[in-house]
Amino acid sequence: MSENTLEKLIATLKSEAIEAADNEAVNIVESAHAQAKKIIKEAEAKREELLGNAEKEAQATLIKGEGALKQAARDLTVSVRNDLLQLLKTVLEKEVEAQFTPKLMEQAITNTIANVGSGVTLTLSKNVETELAKTVQKQLQAMDNLDSIITDPSLLKGFSITKTDQGWSYQISPNAVAELLNAHLSPKWVNLLKNDLDT
């Protein structure tokens, strides 16, 4: 074999090897590009899925937070309303207590007994001034409606009127009057507060 033929053979082998290597390189690059595109596409799909899930979770958290906030606002409204009603009741009790003077008691006793008729027993609290008891007794004796006046240590303030023949008795005290007023005022106050707090 001649040197020339050997060189041609070597050149042909080199050329074929380079061409095969180039083809292999092109295949590797194309495969790498295809693999990279696939990875990018999968990553984008995963990113979209994660973003969608995050958005759904954020929306659910927002809705849950709004619900909790609305419930807290309702709870606060009820609490404030109850506190205001309790405050109004306390103020009413103090005002009635302050107005429940011996003069008022004298008027209430004489007016009540005058309207009830005869056969009445008047019970006064032990701390009622003797002067009030004497004044009331003088006025009532003139009306001829009163059977007796007694004192009751368990009656803290106020008086009680009993009509024995009819079997009824009413206690009139600052607490009883305040409770009665509060019972009748409460629904109106609740409606007023409800309307004010709802606007």
Side-chain angles (χ1 to χ4, degrees), residues 122-140:
L122 173 64
T123 307
L124 296 172
S125 61
K126 213 162 177 73
N127 66 354
V128 169
E129 300 167 15
T130 313
E131 193 60 42
L132 172 63
K134 285 180 186 174
T135 306
V136 168
Q137 194 162 17
K138 281 181 195 173
Q139 290 179 5
L140 295 175

Side-chain angles (χ1 to χ4, degrees), residues 153-174:
S154 68
L155 190 61
L156 299 176
K157 191 169 184 181
F159 61 93
S160 171
I161 294 181
T162 305
K163 188 121 164 129
T164 315
D165 61 341
Q166 293 183 4
W168 58 260
S169 180
Y170 290 108
Q171 182 178 342
I172 299 169
S173 66

Side-chain angles (χ1 to χ4, degrees), residues 54-64:
E55 193 174 316
K56 285 177 188 172
E57 285 179 26
Q59 190 64 28
T61 303
L62 184 63
I63 289 168
K64 189 188 276 185

